[in-house]
Amino acid sequence: MRDERGFVEMQGYVVEKLDIKDASEVEELFRLVWPFAEEYPVEWRRRRCLSSSEIVREMLEGYYYFGIRLKGKLVAVYKAKIEENICFGEHLSIHPNYRRRGLAKAMYEHILRFAKEKGCVSVRVNILPTQVASVKIVKRYGFRKIREYEQIPGMLVHLYEKVVGRDE
C-alpha cells in the first residue's frame, strides 16, 4: 500500500523512492556490498561501486533508485530504468548484515508493481547462473529465462523476463 510520501509496503518492508539527497547513503551501501561480491569479476565489482556523483548523474538521466531502510539505515537498494515499454531492474544490493530477511523478495515485488504502474509490458533482470538464491527468486515470481550472454567478457548472465502488462 502506497502512503502519502510514495512509500510502498512489500513483504512487511517499506520500499521508498530515493532521490539525490540519498546518493551518499547509496554509495556507502554499494561500497559495503560490491567489493566482496566475489562471484563477479573484479572489473564488474569496481563498476558497481558508484560514487555519489555517478548516482546523481544516473538519477538525472532517468534511473529510478529504490531502497529499504530499517531503523533509519539504508539496507537495500535497487535501480530501474525504463526503455520503451520495458523496465530493467539492476544493481540489487543488500547490506551483508541484513541478508536472508526477505529484502530481495520485497524489492522484486516492488519492481513488478512499479513497472506495471508505469505502463511497462515487462520487467527484465540479469542474473548470474551461479546465484542459486537469485534464480530461485526470479522463478518464484514468474520470470522466465529469455537469453544467455556475456555481459562483460568472461561474465555469463541469464536475462530473465516477467510480463507485467495487461495481457499477462
Side-chain angles (χ1 to χ4, degrees):
M1 171 176 266
R2 189 176 303 279
D3 73 8
E4 66 280 354
R5 297 168 296 171
F7 295 1
V8 179
E9 186 172 334
M10 297 284 176
Q11 289 280 322
Y13 296 109
V14 175
V15 179
E16 64 180 277
K17 184 176 181 290
L18 303 175
D19 61 28
I20 291 168
K21 70 176 176 40
D22 302 305
S24 62
E25 281 185 279
V26 174
E27 176 185 1
E28 182 182 329
L29 182 59
F30 286 166
R31 295 203 184 282
L32 287 170
V33 172
W34 288 97
F36 309 102
E38 293 180 351
E39 64 273 26
Y40 293 90
V42 171
E43 174 189 348
W44 190 254
R45 289 186 269 158
R46 282 189 197 121
R47 286 186 191 180
R48 303 326 264 169
C49 288
L50 300 177
S51 68
S52 294
S53 61
E54 291 170 311
I55 294 162
V56 168
R57 180 183 46 76
E58 283 193 344
M59 288 176 174
L60 295 174
E61 290 174 353
Y63 279 90
Y64 296 86
Y65 275 74
F66 296 97
I68 297 174
R69 293 180 196 280
L70 295 176
K71 298 181 181 176
K73 178 180 182 168
L74 189 63
V75 297
V77 168
Y78 83 88
K79 65 184 183 184
K81 177 84 170 175
I82 297 172
E83 295 178 1
E84 297 180 22
N85 57 358
I86 298 170
C87 180
F88 293 89
E90 62 179 75
H91 219 145
L92 179 62
S93 305
I94 298 174
H95 190 291
N97 295 339
Y98 293 88
R99 293 185 179 147
R100 291 183 264 297
R101 296 184 185 198
L103 295 168
K105 291 176 189 173
M107 297 303 242
Y108 274 99
E109 286 180 13
H110 183 269
I111 195 171
L112 292 170
R113 186 175 188 173
F114 169 75
K116 194 167 190 170
E117 287 173 359
K118 289 291 187 182
C120 296
V121 297
S122 68
V123 173
R124 290 184 178 173
V125 296
N126 285 314
I127 304 287
L128 292 181
T130 57
Q131 290 181 322
V132 176
S134 296
V135 171
K136 185 177 175 182
I137 288 172
V138 294
K139 286 183 176 181
R140 175 181 178 196
Y141 285 103
F143 285 78
R144 64 180 181 81
K145 186 174 96 172
I146 60 170
R147 192 165 82 123
E148 182 175 295
Y149 67 102
E150 284 190 342
Q151 195 164 21
I152 61 170
M155 189 176 91
L156 181 70
V157 297
H158 290 173
L159 178 62
Y160 283 86
E161 180 177 55
K162 163 80 173 160
V163 173
V164 294
R166 284 180 240 120
D167 299 333
E168 64 180 303

